[in-house]
Amino acid sequence: MDNTTSSDEKISKRQVTVGGLTIGNGSVTIIAGPCSVENREQIFSVAEAVRNNGGHILRGGAFKPRTSPYSFQGLGAEGLKYLAEAGRKYGLLTITEIMDAHDIPLICEMADILQVGTRNMFNYTLLKELGKIRKPVMLKRGFMATIEEWLLAAEYILMGGNEQVLFCERGIRTFEKYTRNTLDISSIPIVAKMKGFPVIVDPSHATGRTDIIIPLCRAAIAAGCDGLMIEVHPNPQKAKSDGMQSLTYEQFSKAMAAIKRACTFMSEENSCD
Ligand code: PEP
Ligand code: MN
């Protein structure tokens, strides 16, 4: 990796194309869905809401990295099946988290994009294995990772020949307590400038709350993000994970309207279609 690139040097923009969707072409890709796939009905319901509001990719965790081993750990393979079925029914691509290299063949078969979570950004064995596949990998920033460590983690995937990398800024741990993490807006133009790969912003995990998702989406769009990932749930109060930060359908509709306005405001090229 060339982390000595001078700030004036221009890196060409890298696009990631998956299932007919191009990420990083100047428009803002919307990834939305529940933190975890909880049952068939739930993921089908969210998929319909995501599709109806103009989202592109359905998210849903089946293998969940929970802080407490006593918390819901995800439905595993059954969850992947429901996610894939919901994506197919509503014409959405899918993304889900990979925690263990042993699950790579299964997840590659069931989902369109593999997500590496914040806790696994430093799992170099997993990253090397993901370098061998030919599917897009979204690499979330480690909550204690510097931008340089994050860029170097991506090199483990790229070195294997997998060029379909998406970066996801999801906030870093700071001394601040009013938000779950602190969204590092500056990483968006820095990573875009240094690597050229698309940068997705996840305001849900960055904040841990629903009331400031819209302003942070606006800020991310203004800073040049290529996509947003937002948690949505039919009944956040009953969610098995991350209910506190999950938007209701009504809140998601409002967020999508605000996102579209922000894209229009930023420029005609920066569209949300
Ligand atoms: C998630 O996307 O549900 C998730 C666990 O995110 P992170 O790895 O950023 O905490
Ligand atoms: Mn979550």
Side-chain angles (χ1 to χ4, degrees), residues 34-36 59 61 64-65 97 115-120 138 140-141 143 168 170 180-181 202 205 229 231 241-242 245:
C35 180
S36 309
R59 64 151 286 147
K64 293 301 303 176
E97 181 162 351
Q115 168 177 326
V116 176
T118 195
R119 296 162 181 82
N120 271 312
M138 187 175 84
K140 288 190 126 185
R141 180 176 179 181
F143 60 82
C168 178
R170 48 79 70 206
R180 184 176 178 184
N181 291 285
D202 172 353
H205 291 87
M229 180 157 90
E231 285 188 340
S241 60
D242 286 349
Q245 67 195 34

Side-chain angles (χ1 to χ4, degrees), residues 25-147:
N25 65 357
S27 64
V28 174
T29 299
I30 303 298
I31 306 171
C35 180
S36 309
V37 178
E38 297 173 5
N39 54 59
R40 182 192 291 267
E41 195 194 357
Q42 174 238 22
I43 193 69
F44 272 64
S45 165
V46 183
E48 186 177 22
V50 170
R51 202 267 321 262
N52 289 347
N53 283 288
H56 307 101
I57 302 172
L58 178 65
R59 64 151 286 147
F63 297 98
K64 293 301 303 176
R66 304 306 301 282
T67 302
S68 165
Y70 305 109
S71 301
F72 176 60
Q73 301 288 306
L75 295 181
E78 189 189 350
L80 291 178
K81 187 168 146 263
Y82 299 154
L83 178 72
E85 286 172 2
R88 252 197 315 277
K89 170 149 188 207
Y90 292 100
L92 296 166
L93 296 171
T94 56
I95 181 167
T96 197
E97 181 162 351
I98 174 94
M99 295 214 297
D100 187 324
H102 290 113
D103 296 321
I104 291 177
L106 176 67
I107 297 185
C108 280
E109 195 191 314
M110 304 298 278
D112 298 298
I113 306 173
L114 286 76
Q115 168 177 326
V116 176
T118 195
R119 296 162 181 82
N120 271 312
M121 192 213 81
F122 286 107
N123 184 342
Y124 301 127
T125 313
L126 177 62
L127 300 181
K128 277 184 194 166
E129 290 302 315
L130 291 170
K132 296 178 187 162
I133 65 169
R134 294 296 174 265
K135 278 216 158 198
V137 174
M138 187 175 84
L139 180 63
K140 288 190 126 185
R141 180 176 179 181
F143 60 82
M144 69 305 220
T146 62
I147 295 173

